[in-house]
Amino acid sequence: MDPLSRAVMELQELPQNKKCVDCSAKNPQWATVTYGTFMCLECSGKHRGLGVHLSFVRSVGMDKWKEWEVQRMEAGGNDKFIQYAKENGIQGMPIEKKYNSYEAAVYAAKLRSVSRYSDQTYTPQEDVADFLMYNCRRQQENHTWPLPSHRHKRMPLVSRIL
């Protein structure tokens, strides 16, 4: 086994990471690199459904890990995220709503900054702004408006603008 996979498995064995971050199921076998947390198979499926821009999911035992992913997992942890979620009012929300929130974006940006700039002080405003702009564009693209035509077809707003 390579050293990076071993490091993730050691993190998984820590007492604070022995339960799924979202549903508290025992012995989670999946992780979201975005938030540095461990989760069960069922919750990992929900995270995958969010898209990699919100939650980048990896298998603890089956995937090959990169150094930056391990750094992010080391900077995170289930207890840290749960504490942050409680303090910011997103703990207990459905997965789709919790991880699509501004608060979750701030946490992910802070975690990314810690693993990226461990020796420097960093403020994540640019990362959060990028996240919010992406989300706004995505919502705009998915939004439909009626077209003034005899067929009354609905077409995405972006298509009408282009």
Side-chain angles (χ1 to χ4, degrees):
M1 178 181 300
D2 71 284
L4 295 175
S5 294
R6 188 175 299 117
V8 174
M9 287 186 168
E10 288 172 7
L11 290 170
Q12 178 193 25
E13 293 301 317
L14 295 174
Q16 63 266 27
N17 297 328
K18 287 279 204 183
K19 291 184 178 179
C20 173
V21 69
D22 291 316
C23 74
S24 299
K26 292 182 179 180
N27 298 318
Q29 298 298 311
W30 293 83
T32 173
V33 177
T34 311
Y35 300 96
T37 58
F38 293 90
M39 69 193 79
C40 67
L41 176 63
E42 186 176 333
C43 291
S44 74
K46 293 177 184 178
H47 276 259
R48 284 186 184 273
L50 297 173
V52 295
H53 65 285
L54 287 181
S55 185
F56 183 57
V57 178
R58 310 286 286 162
S59 167
V60 172
M62 293 185 288
D63 286 327
K64 186 170 175 105
W65 289 77
K66 296 177 182 149
E67 189 173 341
W68 70 267
E69 294 169 339
V70 175
Q71 286 178 354
R72 188 108 28 111
M73 296 303 295
E74 289 171 342
N78 288 11
D79 280 357
K80 286 181 186 177
F81 181 78
I82 290 169
Q83 182 63 33
Y84 175 86
K86 285 178 182 175
E87 290 170 0
N88 289 278
I90 60 173
Q91 183 64 17
M93 285 183 171
I95 288 173
E96 296 78 14
K97 191 171 182 180
K98 181 192 306 184
Y99 294 99
N100 220 340
S101 68
Y102 174 81
E103 291 82 5
V106 169
Y107 183 86
K110 286 180 181 179
L111 193 63
R112 188 167 43 249
S113 71
V114 169
S115 61
R116 210 188 280 167
Y117 306 98
S118 57
D119 296 338
Q120 302 172 14
T121 305
Y122 173 77
T123 54
Q125 285 91 352
E126 289 181 22
D127 289 336
V128 173
D130 290 345
F131 168 83
L132 293 174
M133 287 303 296
Y134 177 86
N135 247 7
C136 288
R137 270 189 246 114
R138 199 178 94 209
Q139 288 173 357
Q140 222 175 14
E141 289 169 1
N142 292 334
H143 191 70
T144 57
W145 296 90
L147 287 177
S149 73
H150 66 285
R151 295 184 192 177
H152 299 289
K153 287 185 180 177
R154 296 176 76 82
M155 189 177 228
L157 178 63
V158 173
S159 299
R160 292 192 2 226
I161 294 171
L162 300 175

